[in-house]
Amino acid sequence: MSQIDSYDDVATWDVSLPDGKHSVRFQHGTTSGRRVIIVDGKEVRNSGWQFKLVGKESFMVGKYRACVVIEASGLNYSYILEVDGKSLKRFVENRQKVCRTWLPSVNGTPHRIVLERDNLNVWLDGEKLEVAGEFTDQGTETHFVVEDHAAVIRAVTSGKRREGSFTTCSLTIFRYQMPWTMMVRYFTNYLLL
């Protein structure tokens, strides 16, 4: 394994997924063609010496396929992160439509709860939960436990197909309703060499 000091990074990204937030760092030797990808502090790809200075490098972030696209414009390079076949910006926008995220503190411990509205999976601190779901007149209720406290996510349907199947989602833990957090932060930092 090569040294993975952050001063060699030409691009860094933070990617929020249902299983948690992931950090992606990319190193590119513009004379050697060397490409190193580091996900959550672990080197997952090291191409070594290459003659081709542009192209794509594929790898996994959580359960999603990702790739760094390297493009040249004159003597400058740009680096684009694609996740699940989409640019990071577009991937985040699509995930925001599908997911609802809450960041409650229970018994003084911060948690991250994610509902994937397309398949009704619930994630607690990066772990997929076994849940009990039930249909109601207004939509669905998904029951689970957070630190020995009963929790329920209520997804209320609009009744209007054009607006989508769910218009509101709410999380209640031990009789307290939690506001959901729109995860709009994604970072694209890169240096032009």
Side-chain angles (χ1 to χ4, degrees):
M1 291 284 168
S2 68
Q3 189 172 351
I4 55 174
D5 292 330
S6 62
Y7 64 81
D8 290 332
D9 295 350
V10 294
T12 60
W13 300 272
D14 289 328
V15 182
S16 290
L17 298 174
D19 65 345
K21 187 178 259 186
H22 299 275
S23 169
V24 177
R25 296 172 30 211
F26 182 64
Q27 299 175 356
H28 184 217
T30 56
T31 54
S32 67
R34 178 179 150 268
R35 302 170 189 177
V36 178
I37 298 173
I38 301 135
V39 177
D40 298 330
K42 296 178 185 164
E43 185 177 295
V44 297
R45 188 140 177 99
N46 187 337
S47 67
W49 180 272
Q50 289 190 358
F51 289 107
K52 189 173 180 182
L53 297 177
V54 296
K56 292 183 176 187
E57 289 294 328
S58 297
F59 58 101
M60 297 296 289
V61 177
K63 65 178 183 173
Y64 293 92
R65 174 142 315 276
C67 101
V68 174
V69 179
I70 307 155
E71 297 176 340
S73 175
L75 296 176
N76 295 325
Y77 291 89
S78 64
Y79 307 95
I80 301 164
L81 179 65
E82 293 181 349
V83 181
D84 206 22
K86 302 171 193 75
S87 70
L88 180 59
K89 180 179 179 180
R90 189 169 200 170
F91 176 79
V92 169
E93 289 169 353
N94 287 346
R95 293 302 298 167
Q96 286 175 346
K97 292 176 186 174
V98 174
C99 293
R100 288 294 177 260
T101 302
W102 294 270
L103 302 171
S105 181
V106 179
N107 296 333
T109 305
H111 294 283
R112 183 173 189 268
I113 299 171
V114 178
L115 168 68
E116 292 179 305
R117 296 188 311 164
D118 56 347
N119 55 25
L120 298 180
N121 287 334
V122 176
W123 298 75
L124 173 64
D125 301 329
E127 298 292 324
K128 187 174 166 186
L129 297 178
E130 292 294 324
V131 298
E134 65 180 273
F135 291 100
T136 66
D137 291 338
Q138 293 82 27
T140 63
E141 288 187 358
T142 306
H143 300 268
F144 56 99
V145 175
V146 178
E147 288 192 28
D148 297 325
H149 295 288
V152 62
I153 296 175
R154 289 182 181 85
V156 180
T157 60
S158 65
K160 299 177 183 175
R161 269 181 127 46
R162 290 186 149 205
E163 294 177 14
S165 57
F166 300 120
T167 55
T168 60
C169 294
S170 64
L171 168 67
T172 304
I173 300 175
F174 191 63
R175 297 188 305 242
Y176 296 103
Q177 187 166 342
M178 308 290 165
W180 69 277
T181 304
M182 182 178 260
M183 302 299 281
V184 294
R185 286 186 284 165
Y186 58 91
F187 303 99
T188 305
N189 306 320
Y190 59 88
L191 305 172
L192 295 178
L193 301 175

